[in-house]
Amino acid sequence: MADLFESPGPEPEPAWHPLADRLRPRALEEVIGQDELLGPDGPLGTMLGADTLGSLILWGPPGVGKTTIARLLADVTDLAFVQVSAIFTGVADLKKVFEAAKIRRGNGGGTLLFVDEIHRFNKAQQDGFLPHMEDGTILLVGATTENPSFELNAALLSRAQVMVLNRLGLIDLERLARRAEEALGQTLPLDPAARDALLELADGDGRALLNLIEQVSGWSVADCLDQKELARRLARRAAQYDKSGDAHYNLISALHKSVRGSDPDAALYWLARMLEGGEDPRFLARRITRMSVEDIGLADPQAQSVCIDAWNTYERLGSPEGELALAQAVIYLALAPKSNSGYAAFKAAQRAARSTGSEPPPKHILNAPTRLMKDQGYGKGYAYDHDAEDGFSGQNYFPDGMERASYFQPVERGFERDLRRRLDYFRNLRAKRQS
């Protein structure tokens, strides 16, 4: 029995915590880089000021404060904070969370359920949140790095507001670095250029920056390190790029629009970003060829051949040598005259084809290999263009009764200038023949 009354031994040393965990903000005012969201006039700041906080989806890249903000929201609203990850949580786990939340609600409390990587839940799992959100059992705060418009159910999005968190800029990262130095009680042993390089290396990710700072602060160095020595000691962090996620679509859009905007330097930058991120060069070859037919078209008919040749060159050489052929094709496309007249003409023709249903061609341009077809008028009155004056008959080739349309409108750029002159020539000649 005496053992029960013996004084306890010394308290154990607290477990070591990463710097990123130790510097986690204790109040929303301490969150760095999200002033547009959390400020008094920001969407989330306004909700908190009016005490009208509802379910939220926090959308942003890694390391910008999604989990931290969710925790702090629970504190300011006096709700119990429950965190789950969609990667490790199944239906049975969610049922337990909902039951506990119901009990808590019955006792007068509330629950803020934070779901990390919420986009990884399937449709049925996402639907499972709806009744508990509607009856107030939980206030849902989901975090995602993917575009909610594509990854989350419409029913879930209709019951939650999407809050966009921004990638941290260099000024924000510098503030975070100074906060870390204050907590560590030391200045990083880096010269100004090396310090800037460290911030760039974090790539807008606050957590990544704190991990780098923790690593650098542990080095024993006599003098400040320069950029070259820092690069030698640190492995370069891989760029954030998901070949099947939002970054994939954002970067290919940036590449396409840079080409369309006749900016070869920007186009090369986005091409390089995608290749550095591990994008399949064959996907890029296909998209580059698409740009040639969609945005250049007949203004430079050679553009398509340049892209196909570059694609074939890549197939023969492989990476990295073949990637230069793709880069040269991108430069060619960016500097080529632009026209989407062929693209627009085909779309207009498609709309007309859908609206006119199954109208047959006029009989005079139908072949008549049998007597019955001849008796039906097939081929009757057809004018053989090579026998006509100027090699042009001017006959109608649209369905009988369909008003003649003018889909192709070439631009006054590149080879399409010549096509416009030809088109005008035939239009005038057609009017003359028909009169």
Side-chain angles (χ1 to χ4, degrees):
M1 293 292 293
D3 292 343
L4 295 175
F5 300 97
E6 288 179 356
S7 60
E11 292 187 5
E13 289 292 323
W16 175 83
H17 292 290
L19 180 62
D21 189 49
R22 283 180 279 158
L23 285 185
R24 193 180 291 277
R26 302 290 186 264
L28 288 170
E29 296 77 18
E30 298 177 12
V31 175
I32 289 177
Q34 306 303 332
D35 295 342
E36 290 184 9
L37 177 68
L38 297 171
D41 297 326
L44 191 49
T46 301
M47 291 175 70
L48 291 172
D51 196 23
T52 57
L53 184 65
S55 291
L56 307 172
I57 300 297
L58 303 178
W59 173 30
V64 296
K66 296 187 292 294
T67 303
T68 295
I69 290 174
R71 289 180 180 274
L72 296 175
L73 288 176
D75 291 341
V76 298
T77 53
D78 292 325
L79 297 174
F81 181 79
V82 178
Q83 179 175 352
V84 299
S85 170
I87 300 174
F88 304 110
T89 306
V91 174
D93 302 309
L94 287 176
K95 286 182 178 179
K96 293 178 182 177
V97 170
F98 296 146
E99 287 300 323
K102 287 179 182 177
I103 295 172
R104 193 176 293 114
R105 185 185 179 204
N107 293 327
T111 302
L112 187 150
L113 175 59
F114 175 63
V115 183
D116 200 13
E117 305 281 356
I118 191 170
H119 61 275
R120 294 184 181 271
F121 276 137
N122 61 35
K123 182 180 186 301
Q125 290 170 315
Q126 292 182 30
D127 286 343
F129 291 102
L130 303 181
H132 307 289
M133 296 167 63
E134 290 173 347
D135 67 12
T137 300
I138 62 169
L139 188 149
L140 176 69
V141 178
T144 179
T145 56
E146 300 297 328
N147 191 326
S149 301
F150 303 134
E151 302 295 336
L152 299 182
N153 294 349
L156 183 62
L157 288 176
S158 70
R159 293 163 174 81
Q161 280 194 259
V162 175
M163 300 287 174
V164 180
L165 280 75
N166 297 316
R167 180 179 181 272
L168 300 187
L170 292 177
I171 295 176
D172 301 320
L173 292 172
E174 174 60 30
R175 289 175 58 198
L176 190 58
R178 291 178 181 175
R179 183 180 292 179
E181 288 174 322
E182 184 178 345
L184 293 168
Q186 67 178 88
T187 301
L188 293 174
L190 304 173
D191 69 16
R195 187 182 183 92
D196 291 342
L198 185 73
L199 301 183
E200 292 280 1
L201 200 60
D203 197 19
D205 184 330
R207 186 186 307 108
L209 176 64
L210 293 177
N211 291 339
L212 290 170
I213 289 174
E214 191 162 29
Q215 186 176 347
V216 171
S217 66
W219 294 343
S220 178
V221 295
D223 299 311
C224 285
L225 304 177
D226 59 17
Q227 188 173 351
K228 183 177 180 180
E229 183 61 21
L230 177 70
R232 191 183 71 81
R233 289 172 176 249
L234 281 179
R236 182 161 186 85
R237 180 169 178 260
Q240 296 172 13
Y241 188 77
D242 181 355
K243 289 186 285 184
S244 62
D246 214 31
H248 166 84
Y249 299 104
N250 288 342
L251 267 62
I252 194 61
S253 176
L255 171 59
H256 196 149
K257 289 180 174 63
S258 298
V259 167
R260 184 182 294 154
S262 302
D263 190 335
D265 298 313
L268 285 173
Y269 170 77
W270 294 116
L271 176 70
R273 277 278 301 272
M274 297 188 80
L275 289 170
E276 287 293 317
E279 184 58 77
D280 182 359
R282 291 176 180 84
F283 165 78
L284 290 167
R286 177 183 176 276
R287 286 299 297 254
I288 290 167
T289 305
R290 171 187 163 184
M291 296 173 202
S292 71
V293 297
E294 184 175 315
D295 289 293
I296 290 142
L298 294 172
D300 184 351
Q302 186 180 344
Q304 183 177 335
S305 297
V306 169
C307 294
I308 295 296
D309 288 344
W311 195 342
N312 288 333
T313 301
Y314 176 80
E315 293 293 351
R316 290 175 179 271
L317 292 181
S319 293
E321 294 86 356
E323 293 166 4
L324 177 58
L326 301 181
Q328 290 173 347
V330 163
I331 294 171
Y332 187 95
L333 296 186
L335 295 177
K338 305 299 188 298
S339 172
N340 73 337
S341 59
Y343 177 83
F346 182 58
K347 291 294 184 184
Q350 285 182 312
R351 290 192 295 270
R354 286 191 290 267
S355 66
T356 54
S358 54
E359 289 282 350
K363 286 186 177 181
H364 66 269
I365 62 171
L366 298 179
N367 289 330
T370 69
R371 180 173 297 276
L372 174 62
M373 296 170 78
K374 288 180 180 177
D375 291 343
Q376 293 294 317
Y378 283 34
K380 184 178 180 180
Y382 172 62
Y384 188 53
D385 285 80
H386 293 291
D387 294 336
E389 183 184 354
D390 300 319
F392 179 75
S393 68
Q395 280 196 309
N396 175 54
Y397 300 103
F398 280 94
D400 290 331
M402 178 178 171
E403 184 177 349
R404 178 175 183 82
S406 180
Y407 304 129
F408 182 49
Q409 301 292 336
V411 298
E412 284 289 341
R413 291 188 292 276
F415 181 65
E416 287 198 14
R417 282 193 296 262
D418 295 332
L419 295 181
R420 174 170 282 280
R421 285 194 289 271
R422 297 182 197 181
L423 187 62
D424 290 341
Y425 168 79
F426 285 119
R427 283 174 175 167
N428 292 334
L429 201 55
R430 181 178 292 108
K432 178 181 176 182
R433 294 283 189 271
Q434 291 175 352
S435 65

